[in-house]
Amino acid sequence: MKNCNGTILVVDDEQEITELIALYLEKAGYEVHASDNGPHALRLAEKLVPDLIVLDVSLGRMDGIEVCKALRQGVCADVPILFLSCKSEDQDIIRGLSEGGDDYITKPFSPSQLVARIQAHIRRRRTREKGAEEQTVTLSFTGLDIDFRSMEVRLDGEVLPLSAKEFELLSVLARQPNRVFPLEELYRRVWQSDSMGDTRTLMVHISNLRKKMEADPAHPRWIQTVRGFGYRFSTSIEDEEQSTIHN
């Protein structure tokens, strides 16, 4: 009988790891499908459109980053992707997050921690989808519009190609302009996890967001770093006076 909590696709060429992950996820009430190579994983993902994909960075025929890029071009464009990596693959992880990955966990890992991280991502995605159905709110600043129903961000009339996580980050920051969010709170709000994990996950997403919406990412206009504290969505007094929320 099909489990009710959601469908997970696990992509890893190490059978022992796949079986361990499947064991814990099935106990948690998930339906699990597995693949040991990139091309097969892409076909399976197209067929299943799972609720989340666990993706190993190091795959033989087609590495996990290539798989991630391909997934983001198809029906799994908004499906959360959680990378598995070894500590020696730091640069690959940064690339993976830049190509559309949502999060990562380093081997060896605690299966219960992995399950908790997966549950948080799925819960966050469903909350976001439910909220989009219930509201038609647009948050507008001078030259910047954030549409929470269509999940579109327009800068000077141009739609920005943001990932789901980038949109969530911007939404949290922009709903409370000029407020400084500590790293821990921002991570908790967007990733729905009390465990901070590695700050690089958050920092890479912030960096990607700046590259897409800032004229000069090195000197950001919108998303600013408050050294020693965290990040804020910065507005001028004029922006604050002109910012509106449309229902």
Side-chain angles (χ1 to χ4, degrees):
M1 183 175 67
K2 197 170 184 178
N3 292 315
C4 63
N5 286 348
T7 302
I8 310 296
L9 174 59
V10 180
V11 187
D12 197 307
D13 55 8
E14 295 185 54
Q15 186 176 352
E16 290 183 2
I17 290 180
T18 301
E19 291 177 349
L20 179 64
I21 294 173
L23 175 64
Y24 275 81
L25 285 175
E26 287 169 355
K27 285 183 178 179
Y30 292 99
E31 177 183 350
V32 182
H33 296 261
S35 177
D36 63 0
N37 66 82
H40 177 254
L42 291 175
R43 293 193 298 271
L44 200 53
E46 184 82 14
K47 177 182 177 181
L48 296 171
V49 190
D51 293 285
L52 182 139
I53 299 170
V54 178
L55 179 58
D56 186 31
V57 169
S58 300
L59 295 172
R61 296 172 55 188
M62 182 182 188
D63 72 23
I65 297 171
E66 292 179 278
V67 174
C68 179
K69 290 172 66 175
L71 288 168
R72 290 309 186 216
Q73 300 301 314
V75 295
C76 294
D78 294 325
V79 173
I81 295 176
L82 193 157
F83 279 109
L84 299 178
S85 76
C86 298
K87 289 184 178 180
S88 61
E89 298 168 334
D90 286 356
Q91 291 303 313
D92 288 335
I93 278 297
I94 292 173
R95 284 177 54 218
L97 295 175
S98 298
E99 293 294 347
D102 293 278
D103 201 358
Y104 76 97
I105 192 166
T106 304
K107 299 177 183 177
F109 54 84
S110 162
S112 58
Q113 181 187 17
L114 176 63
V115 172
R117 197 84 66 88
I118 288 170
Q119 290 171 330
H121 279 287
I122 292 177
R123 182 170 62 249
R124 180 67 180 177
R125 185 189 185 203
R126 289 174 177 171
T127 299
R128 184 182 72 238
E129 290 174 345
K130 182 180 179 182
E133 292 173 358
E134 294 176 348
Q135 63 183 349
T136 57
V137 176
T138 300
L139 183 61
S140 297
F141 300 88
T142 303
L144 181 69
D145 298 293
I146 305 172
D147 189 326
F148 295 99
R149 184 171 180 81
S150 65
M151 289 184 62
E152 283 189 347
V153 176
R154 292 178 293 277
L155 182 63
D156 296 328
E158 297 290 329
V159 177
L160 301 180
L162 302 187
S163 70
K165 273 291 181 289
E166 290 162 0
F167 182 87
E168 289 178 41
L169 268 173
L170 179 60
S171 299
V172 170
L173 290 165
R175 283 185 185 276
Q176 298 186 61
N178 297 315
R179 180 198 163 183
V180 179
F181 284 86
L183 297 179
E184 293 81 2
E185 180 180 354
L186 197 53
Y187 185 90
R188 185 174 64 251
R189 286 187 176 223
V190 176
W191 277 266
Q192 291 286 296
S193 174
D194 292 329
S195 173
M196 183 59 192
D198 195 316
T199 57
R200 284 175 299 182
T201 297
L202 174 59
M203 293 169 68
V204 169
H205 280 85
I206 289 287
S207 175
N208 293 337
L209 188 54
R210 283 173 170 165
K211 290 175 183 176
K212 293 178 181 180
M213 68 181 298
E214 301 284 1
D216 182 2
H219 300 89
R221 154 74 180 85
W222 297 104
I223 301 174
Q224 298 181 348
T225 301
V226 180
R227 196 171 300 278
F229 291 94
Y231 298 101
R232 70 180 174 193
F233 179 85
S234 179
T235 63
S236 65
I237 295 176
E238 179 184 0
D239 285 327
E240 276 198 277
E241 291 175 346
Q242 295 184 16
S243 66
T244 55
I245 297 179
H246 307 293
N247 292 307

